[in-house]
């Protein structure tokens, strides 16, 4: 079975960071995601508003660096929850549980609320440094006989 979803859209509100009783961080926010097609009558693109939930380090990152209006890319899985409202009625809601969240714009573009989509940058990615273009990242094999292995 496969349950993977990738979304790109703008945050409709600032992320809300909470902690469970055991101290685990959880952030919730919503993305406005435009559909790829226009309606037949007016030529307007429809927009879906999708609820997102992020946990642990991803939640901390989202609450620290993403704000309303910023473009974000979310990778995760769709989750359907059944719950009971205050009046005792049965309710059902769909949300995306985020595994990874990326910037969808540059900081400069995000501050102005639009512009280039930019190149997504991974969330909470460790900084291993950038290798120098002058450094030789590959070396010749000492015991290469020139034969292909198949």
């Amino acid at each position: 079975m496969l349950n993977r979803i990738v979304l790109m859209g703008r945050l409709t509100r600032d992320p809300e960071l909470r902690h469970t009783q055991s101290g685990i961080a959880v952030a919730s926010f919503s993305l406005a995601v435009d559909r790829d097609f226009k309606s037949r009558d007016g030529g307007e693109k429809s927009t879906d508003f999708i609820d997102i939930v992020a946990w642990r380090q991803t939640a901390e990152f989202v609450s620290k660096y993403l704000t309303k209006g910023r473009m974000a890319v979310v990778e995760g899985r769709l989750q359907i929850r059944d719950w009971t409202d205050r009046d005792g009625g049965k309710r059902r809601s769909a949300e995306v549980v985020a595994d990874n969240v990326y910037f969808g714009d540059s900081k400069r573009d995000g501050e102005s609320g639009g512009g280039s989509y930019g190149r997504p940058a991974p969330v909470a990615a460790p900084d291993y440094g950038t290798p120098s273009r002058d450094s030789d990242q590959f070396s010749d094999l000492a015991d290469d006989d020139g034969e292909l292995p198949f």
Side-chain angles (χ1 to χ4, degrees):
M1 305 288 176
L2 181 64
N3 182 355
R4 295 296 303 161
I5 188 165
V6 178
L7 300 167
M8 183 174 190
R10 294 201 180 273
L11 275 74
T12 62
R13 58 184 164 88
D14 289 341
E16 178 184 334
L17 180 66
R18 295 178 312 237
H19 291 83
T20 65
Q21 290 179 349
S22 58
I24 298 172
V26 57
S28 57
F29 59 100
S30 179
L31 280 184
V33 180
D34 288 336
R35 294 186 184 177
D36 287 338
F37 54 89
K38 296 180 180 180
S39 64
R40 290 184 220 183
D41 53 351
E44 292 286 322
K45 282 189 178 182
S46 296
T47 301
D48 294 307
F49 298 91
I50 301 170
D51 293 326
I52 313 290
V53 177
W55 292 87
R56 296 178 178 78
Q57 294 91 350
T58 304
E60 298 282 352
F61 178 88
V62 164
S63 69
K64 186 174 181 179
Y65 294 108
L66 295 179
T67 56
K68 179 180 178 179
R70 289 291 306 261
M71 181 75 70
V73 177
V74 175
E75 294 177 334
R77 61 186 166 83
L78 183 63
Q79 177 174 287
I80 308 297
R81 287 188 307 120
D82 293 318
W83 51 284
T84 305
D85 64 16
R86 291 184 177 151
D87 300 328
K90 300 287 184 189
R91 305 288 299 228
R92 176 174 272 202
S93 60
E95 61 193 8
V96 172
V97 178
D99 294 326
N100 298 299
V101 178
Y102 303 90
F103 289 114
D105 57 8
S106 68
K107 184 168 176 67
R108 182 179 55 230
D109 291 340
E111 289 171 352
S112 65
S116 169
Y117 284 68
R119 194 169 109 189
V123 166
D127 183 15
Y128 297 116
T130 304
S132 167
R133 292 184 188 253
D134 299 334
S135 68
D136 185 14
Q137 296 179 11
F138 302 100
S139 59
D140 291 330
L141 297 174
D143 60 345
D144 184 16
D145 61 3
E147 294 291 318
L148 295 175
F150 49 88

